[in-house]
Amino acid sequence: MEKDWQTLTATARQIRRDIVRMVGAAGSGHPGGSLSAVEIVTALYFKVMRLDPERPDWPERDRFVLSKGHAAPVLYAALAERGFFAVDKLDTLRQLGSPLQGHPDRKALPGVEVSTGSLGHGLAVANGMALAGRLDGRDYRVYVLLGDGELEEGMVWEGAMAAAHYRLDNLTAIVDHNHLQIDGRVEEVMSPEPVADKFRAFGWEVQTIDGHDFGQILDALERTREVKGKPTVIIAETIKGKGVSFMENQAGWHGKAPKPEEVEKALAELA
Amino acid sequence: MTKIATREAYGRALVELGRQNSQVVVLDADLSKSTMTHYFAREFPERFFNMGIAEQSLMATAAGLALSGKIPFASTFAVFAAGRAYDQVRNGIAYPKVNVKIAATHAGLTVGEDGASHQAVEDVTLMRAIPNMTVIVPADGEETRQAVFAAAAQQGPVYLRLGRPAVPVIYNGDYRFQIGRAHTLRQGKDAAVLACGVMVHEALRAAEELAAAGLDVMVVNMSTIKPLDREAVLAAAATGAVVTAEEHTVIGGLGSAVAEVLATTKPVPMAMIGIRDTFGESGKPDELMAKYGLTAADIVAAVKGLKGWVS
Ligand SMILES: Cc1ncc(C[n+]2csc(CCOP(=O)(O)OP(=O)(O)O)c2C)c(N)n1
Ligand SMILES: [Mg+2]
């Protein structure tokens, strides 16, 4: 499905609306880090990735790993809007028996590639998928989305080392660099900076972009296909809570659901 | 009914302890507002270390602080304390018998909506299996407070299992918690329920219901899972029927610990209330407790079953 720019922007807005509504309905969940990743996830699911919603286990599909699993709402919204399941299912988020678990569960929901929620795992799992693709002679690509606080997990760097060691040029990591984690600003809680230099030193190709600008996102994702012999990381500068004025840049909206009147206010802003 | 979360009681107790003992330091892994160590951080910023989202570093750093004379309390969610950092706990803390106190919050199904990835249902098993480790699962706020002080006073590693939601108050200040000592909350001669954590309150409710039905049931709070109070277990067994109750898998937790004692000394008919070899899922805490068979009604049915009552 090829979508142009205008359409991508409209889709992103719809996904933001879905996120606000579903987290509001659930009464718990993680709006901040879902909203910061909307353009990245929209670009991947609506423009870049080779997918077939009818065949979520199609061997040739591109893979997306949501390593920052608490941002499940953005993944669920993208999957629903892309046709993996009915959009009205989004309202069941976090309810007993729903396939939309608080953190993505691959057993429960087709389209979810990896069960995440414990931070730090995703990159290494993506490495495994990239290695298997190479072994099987398949040309699918693997995309993995990491949080900037998540970069504090040592395991991320073990994975970074392995991806470069095995020259995984079929793998692209994206860092949602929204500068916030739960306890405050990433730089103040436990700084992973300088992130770009670290990845470069680990042997990665590094691009830094505005993570809310579709032009830059699409360019960066296009360029990563041309890099040979090493993995690429896209450091996407983003705003946590992007699109909802009272959530933007507020650590407090990491894991808190908007109340009904806040949902209304947010939806009005996203009209 | 007054309620307080054990993690809330933990956070407050740390401040109290910190005022009395300047050797106490606290570490967290980007969850200080959830584990409630932020109270301590606010009052003693120089003795608080946020290690970021890095639980292995959290535990190993705590070990280093303890090896240098400090009394560290290291906190994160139970699933990451016992799981992610298992090797750091085993090889870095328990094997060298380092004086680290692990306070693991958000244990069990009562985590609720976050779902299985965040619900530690096997942490007691993991921690209990490690030599040198003391494992405590307090039943309420007051017991948590006292367990924090008892843990600090005892030399060596301690795993304190705490919960997310507010739970009913069982004890007042007259209670005296002791590591390794169970507390009999209710005498009874027909059967005994040995419970820990949130299940203690459920056991008390069950006992009332059973009393109304004509069964006189003992209720024992087995807050120290290790070292287990064998005397209390044997006293309970004297009733001839033992039910264990825990918000945890039945594989290797309180039920297993009690069974290990009874099977090798004085076997009596037993039933175990707990999670049956499965992960949890998203849902409201109460819904999950009901779905996974962790309510007073389940305890009532188990006791009646052991007594041969058909319900
Ligand atoms: C191993 C692990 N430790 C702790 C947590 C709890 N946790 C969930 S989200 C989060 C903060 C994540 O910050 P970041 O990676 O920056 O995500 P974002 O800002 O994109 O939401 C933490 C500590 C977890 N899910 N997994
Ligand atoms: Mg962040």
Side-chain angles (χ1 to χ4, degrees):
Chain A
M1 189 201 294
E2 292 277 311
K3 283 220 171 187
D4 66 14
W5 242 76
Q6 299 292 311
T7 332
L8 282 176
T9 305
T11 305
R13 188 181 316 118
Q14 185 54 45
I15 286 177
R16 283 206 164 83
R17 293 176 62 84
D18 291 340
I19 290 168
V20 168
R21 264 215 325 264
M22 83 175 100
V23 176
S28 69
H30 299 85
S34 297
L35 292 167
S36 60
V38 168
E39 280 78 13
I40 297 160
V41 172
T42 303
L44 287 169
Y45 274 89
F46 290 86
K47 180 85 180 170
V48 173
M49 288 205 298
R50 185 167 69 200
L51 293 170
D52 181 357
E54 302 294 321
R55 285 185 294 161
D57 54 358
W58 179 33
E60 301 297 337
R61 74 192 183 284
D62 288 337
R63 271 77 166 162
F64 174 69
V65 180
L66 182 67
S67 191
K68 39 171 272 184
H70 57 278
V74 69
L75 174 62
Y76 296 157
L79 288 172
E81 297 292 347
R82 187 69 171 79
F84 282 82
F85 59 87
V87 172
D88 60 14
K89 250 199 194 156
L90 293 176
D91 294 338
T92 68
L93 176 71
R94 294 178 156 246
Q95 287 175 17
L96 188 66
S98 171
L100 279 64
Q101 291 289 294
H103 293 77
D105 175 1
R106 68 180 307 279
K107 307 183 303 303
L109 190 65
V112 170
E113 296 285 352
V114 181
S115 299
T116 50
S118 183
L119 291 167
H121 294 222
L123 177 52
V125 178
N127 285 345
M129 293 172 150
L131 285 169
R134 181 191 284 171
L135 273 178
D136 292 345
R138 298 190 196 277
D139 69 348
Y140 65 75
R141 293 193 63 80
V142 185
Y143 299 92
V144 52
L145 181 64
L146 302 151
D148 50 2
E150 184 180 13
L151 298 181
E152 295 157 6
E153 286 287 0
M155 198 188 158
V156 170
W157 302 100
E158 296 174 24
M161 188 165 19
H165 180 84
Y166 285 109
R167 303 176 191 284
L168 296 178
D169 51 20
N170 53 348
L171 176 118
T172 301
I174 304 158
V175 175
D176 184 353
H177 204 356
N178 58 29
H179 299 270
L180 287 175
Q181 56 190 100
I182 297 180
D183 280 343
R185 289 195 63 79
V186 169
E187 291 81 355
E188 285 162 23
V189 175
M190 177 56 62
S191 180
E193 300 295 341
V195 174
D197 289 349
K198 279 199 177 71
F199 274 103
R200 231 173 260 124
F202 271 77
W204 287 57
E205 180 71 17
V206 180
Q207 303 183 44
T208 301
I209 62 162
D210 175 344
H212 299 304
D213 179 325
F214 275 117
Q216 292 191 33
I217 296 170
L218 295 175
D219 275 356
L221 288 169
E222 188 55 44
R223 250 180 290 143
T224 134
R225 296 168 177 274
E226 283 145 31
V227 176
K228 295 296 167 216
K230 57 178 169 177
T232 296
V233 60
I234 298 171
I235 300 170
E237 287 296 330
T238 58
I239 294 170
K240 201 154 175 170
K242 172 78 176 174
V244 178
S245 61
F246 56 90
M247 292 187 184
E248 286 189 2
N249 277 319
Q250 299 296 318
W253 284 101
H254 168 82
K256 183 173 72 173
K259 298 191 186 72
E261 59 276 15
E262 290 167 328
V263 171
E264 287 315 311
K265 199 166 164 230
L267 292 178
E269 292 183 14
L270 294 166
Chain B
M1 189 192 313
T2 337
K3 288 186 168 193
I4 178 177
T6 51
R7 63 180 167 125
E8 175 71 26
Y10 164 64
R12 293 188 200 168
L14 275 184
V15 174
E16 220 186 307
L17 180 67
R19 287 179 189 149
Q20 294 176 14
N21 190 336
S22 62
Q23 292 304 97
V24 170
V25 295
V26 176
L27 299 88
D28 206 293
D30 194 32
L31 289 169
S32 67
K33 295 187 188 96
S34 300
T35 62
M36 299 299 163
T37 61
H38 69 109
Y39 296 140
F40 186 95
R42 200 170 46 199
E43 183 151 338
F44 306 105
E46 72 292 349
R47 284 196 266 151
F48 175 79
F49 304 99
N50 197 329
M51 303 312 297
I53 312 171
E55 296 77 13
Q56 302 170 78
S57 170
L58 169 82
M59 293 305 172
T61 307
L65 283 158
L67 287 167
S68 312
K70 302 299 168 195
I71 306 173
F73 279 74
S75 278
T76 179
F77 291 174
V79 78
F80 308 128
R84 185 56 151 273
Y86 180 81
D87 186 52
Q88 284 71 19
V89 172
R90 183 206 190 266
N91 278 321
I93 294 173
Y95 171 46
K97 213 170 176 185
V98 173
N99 197 25
V100 173
K101 319 303 169 186
I102 301 162
T105 67
H106 295 66
L109 295 177
T110 50
V111 163
E113 291 84 351
D114 269 353
S117 62
H118 284 55
Q119 294 163 346
V121 297
E122 77 290 15
D123 56 314
V124 172
T125 306
L126 291 171
M127 293 296 109
R128 191 173 80 84
I130 304 178
N132 293 341
M133 186 62 80
T134 292
V135 180
I136 304 172
V137 186
D140 79 344
E142 176 60 23
E143 189 168 46
T144 301
R145 191 184 78 81
Q146 296 194 31
V148 167
F149 280 85
Q154 170 178 293
Q155 185 67 28
V158 175
Y159 182 80
L160 200 57
R161 186 187 207 233
L162 306 171
R164 171 175 178 254
V167 293
V169 168
I170 293 173
Y171 294 112
N172 60 31
D174 298 337
Y175 172 62
R176 286 292 164 264
F177 167 80
Q178 261 183 282
I179 292 175
R181 181 74 59 84
H183 181 247
T184 303
L185 282 156
R186 181 179 175 124
Q187 295 293 347
K189 58 180 185 344
D190 297 329
V193 182
L194 306 185
C196 63
V198 293
M199 297 308 291
V200 173
H201 183 253
E202 296 302 307
L204 288 169
R205 282 180 48 205
E208 296 210 345
E209 197 176 312
L210 288 162
L215 278 173
D216 184 21
V217 175
M218 176 190 287
V219 175
V220 185
N221 174 13
M222 300 294 297
S223 43
T224 309
I225 310 291
K226 188 183 169 185
L228 194 71
D229 187 340
R230 296 171 64 93
E231 298 299 310
V233 173
L234 293 172
T239 63
V242 170
V243 173
T244 58
E246 60 198 309
E247 185 199 0
H248 188 270
T249 176
V250 292
I251 301 176
L254 170 66
S256 298
V258 169
E260 286 159 17
V261 172
L262 294 182
T264 53
T265 52
K266 183 176 171 185
V268 294
M270 249 190 97
M272 294 185 196
I273 298 292
I275 301 159
R276 314 246 148 227
D277 195 16
T278 179
F279 287 105
E281 63 184 300
S282 292
K284 296 194 180 73
D286 289 350
E287 292 174 340
L288 295 171
M289 295 297 273
K291 175 166 177 178
Y292 290 83
L294 304 177
T295 66
D298 297 293
I299 296 172
V300 167
V303 171
K304 285 184 176 171
L306 282 184
K307 300 301 290 181
W309 290 29
V310 264
S311 45

